[in-house]
Amino acid sequence: MVSLLARLPWSRPEDGERRRALPVMWLTVAAVAAVTVAGLAGLALAVVVVQTLDPTGGLPVGGSIALAARLWLLAQGGELDLPSGPLVLAPLLLTLGIVWGLSRASRGVARTHDLGTARDVVRVGGAGLAVHVVLTLLTAVVLDSPGAGVGLLRSTAGPVVLAAAAIGWGLARESGLLDSALDRLPGPARPVLRGVLAGLLTAMALCTAVVAVALACDARGYAALSGSLGGAAAGAVGLLALGALLLPNAAAAVLGMSAGPGFFVGSGTLVSVHGVTLSAVPALPLLAALPDTQAVPLIAFVSQAVPALAGLVAGTTVGRWSDPADGGSVIAGLAGIASGALLGVVSGVLVWIAGGTLGDGGLAQVGAPAVATAITVAAQAGIAAAIAATVTRWRSLG
C-alpha cells in the first residue's frame, strides 16, 4: 500500500501557482501587444490620410506606414541612421501616449488578477516588457534599410527603459505595492514627491504658454513657412500634427532658457536670456517661435520667473500635505529645499530626454544643456520652495 501511494501522481503547490499564472501571462502578452499594434495602426492611419489628401502627391501607402513606424521608434528613444547623420529626437507627446497606453494596460491586468506580491509583479511585468521589446525590435528590423538604417542599440535600450517604467508603474500602483513602498519612506517623503510633481507640471504648463505666446507673436511667419512647404490644407494639418508631437520638446527647451543656460537649435543658433545667436534652422513651422533678430525678446525675460514659480508651487504643496507628526515650519522648509533640488534633477532629465541630434553637421545639438539646467533650476526652485513650504506650514499650524 505504501509503495502504491508513493507512485501516485501527487501535485505540488507550485504546479497550481503556475496554472494560475499562465492566464495572467497570456493576458499581459495580449494587452501589451494590443497597445503596440493599436498605436502603430492609429499613427499609420493618420499619416496615410494626410498623405492621401495631399494634392501634390504625398508618400505612397507603404512609405506613410514606414514613416509612422519610424516616428514610433523615435518616440521610444530610437535612432535612425540617415545619409546626413544620426537622427535622435523623441517626439515627447507620442512618447507620453505610449507610456499612458502601457501603464493602462498593465493596470488592467493587475485589476483583473490579484498580484499581491512583488514576485507576481516582477513575473507579469517581465512578460509584458519582453513582448513590447520583441515587437519593437521586429519593427526596427523591418524598417532597416541602406537609405534609412536603424540604430539597434538605442532602439533596444530605449524601449526597455520606457516599457519597464510604464508597466512597472501601472502594476505597482494597481497592486498596492507602490503605496506600501511609499509608506515605508520617512515622514516628509510623500509631500516632497507631491511637491516635485506639482512643480514640474507648473513649469511645463508655463513653458508651453511661453511657446504659444511666441508663436502667436509671429503668426505670419508660421503661416508663411507652412505655406512654403506646400501640401495645401493636408500639408498644413500634417505640419500642425508634427508640431504638436514636438510641443513638449519645445516646452523643455524653454525651461532651459528660463533657467538661464538657454537652448540650442544646432551649433549656430542659441537662445537665452543673455543673448540670441541665429543661424539656419530646419523648415519646421514650430520654429517660427524663435526670435527674428539678435535682440532678446520680452517673453524670454518674463520666462525667468518660471523656476521660481514652480518652486513656490512645490513648496506650497509640501507645506499643505505635511502631516502634523512631520514637524514644524523648519522641517517643512528643509523638505521644501529637498523638493526644489529634486525638481532640478527631474528637470535636467526631462531636458536631456527632450533634446537630441539631427545629423552630424550644424544640427548635431538640439535642446537645452541638461546638467546646467538641472543645477540652475534646483538652486532657484529650492530657495522658492523653502520659503513657500515654511510659510504654508506656519500658517497651517496657526
Side-chain angles (χ1 to χ4, degrees):
M1 178 64 70
V2 174
S3 60
L4 178 62
L5 292 176
R7 288 194 295 268
L8 289 177
W10 296 97
S11 61
R12 294 174 297 175
E14 292 81 0
D15 297 333
E17 291 181 4
R18 292 193 185 98
R19 285 195 295 269
R20 288 193 298 269
L22 192 59
V24 183
M25 295 299 182
W26 283 113
L27 179 60
T28 305
V29 169
V32 173
V35 172
T36 302
V37 173
L40 279 171
L43 188 60
L45 179 61
V47 176
V48 168
V49 169
V50 170
Q51 296 296 327
T52 302
L53 296 178
D54 190 346
T56 60
L59 293 173
V61 174
S64 299
I65 295 175
L67 175 59
R70 291 188 175 97
L71 286 174
W72 185 264
L73 290 179
L74 289 175
Q76 300 181 72
E79 176 183 352
L80 299 180
D81 296 324
L82 304 178
S84 59
L87 172 60
V88 182
L89 186 65
L92 287 187
L93 190 62
L94 181 56
T95 304
L96 292 174
I98 297 173
V99 170
W100 178 85
L102 292 175
S103 177
R104 293 293 299 178
S106 58
R107 290 186 67 181
V109 171
R111 190 179 298 116
T112 56
H113 292 77
D114 184 16
L115 303 178
T117 65
R119 182 180 178 183
D120 294 335
V121 170
V122 171
R123 184 190 300 121
V124 174
L129 174 63
V131 171
H132 180 76
V133 172
V134 167
L135 290 177
T136 304
L137 282 178
L138 288 176
T139 304
V141 170
V142 172
L143 290 176
D144 194 21
S145 63
V150 177
L152 291 180
L153 180 60
R154 287 188 62 102
S155 298
T156 303
V160 167
V161 174
L162 182 141
I167 296 174
W169 168 266
L171 292 175
R173 183 178 179 185
E174 195 65 33
S175 64
L177 292 180
L178 180 61
D179 291 331
S180 300
L182 291 176
D183 290 338
R184 297 190 186 98
L185 296 176
R190 277 204 174 196
V192 167
L193 294 177
R194 289 180 182 271
V196 172
L197 179 59
L200 181 64
L201 293 177
T202 300
M204 292 303 294
L206 293 174
C207 290
T208 303
V210 170
V211 176
V213 171
L215 284 174
C217 292
D218 196 12
R220 290 185 178 180
Y222 181 96
L225 186 57
S226 179
S228 65
L229 296 176
V237 171
L239 293 172
L240 180 63
L242 180 59
L245 293 179
L246 293 172
L247 186 58
N249 302 71
V254 170
L255 181 58
M257 179 187 68
S258 65
F263 64 89
F264 296 91
V265 186
S267 58
T269 300
L270 169 64
V271 180
S272 72
V273 295
H274 308 294
V276 176
T277 303
L278 298 177
S279 183
V281 296
L284 180 66
L286 181 63
L287 295 180
L290 293 173
D292 295 328
T293 64
Q294 304 288 342
V296 179
L298 177 61
I299 189 65
F301 285 110
V302 174
S303 70
Q304 293 181 90
V306 169
L309 292 175
L312 289 175
V313 173
T316 302
T317 304
V318 170
R320 287 181 176 177
W321 285 91
S322 294
D323 192 82
D326 294 338
S329 302
V330 175
I331 300 299
L334 294 176
I337 294 176
S339 67
L342 286 177
L343 178 58
V345 174
V346 174
S347 299
V349 173
L350 176 61
V351 164
W352 175 71
I353 294 174
T357 177
L358 299 178
D360 291 328
L363 293 174
Q365 183 179 7
V366 177
V371 176
T373 300
I375 293 173
T376 51
V377 170
Q380 299 175 56
I383 296 173
I387 297 173
T390 301
V391 173
T392 303
R393 185 64 176 154
W394 174 72
R395 292 183 62 183
S396 65
L397 292 175

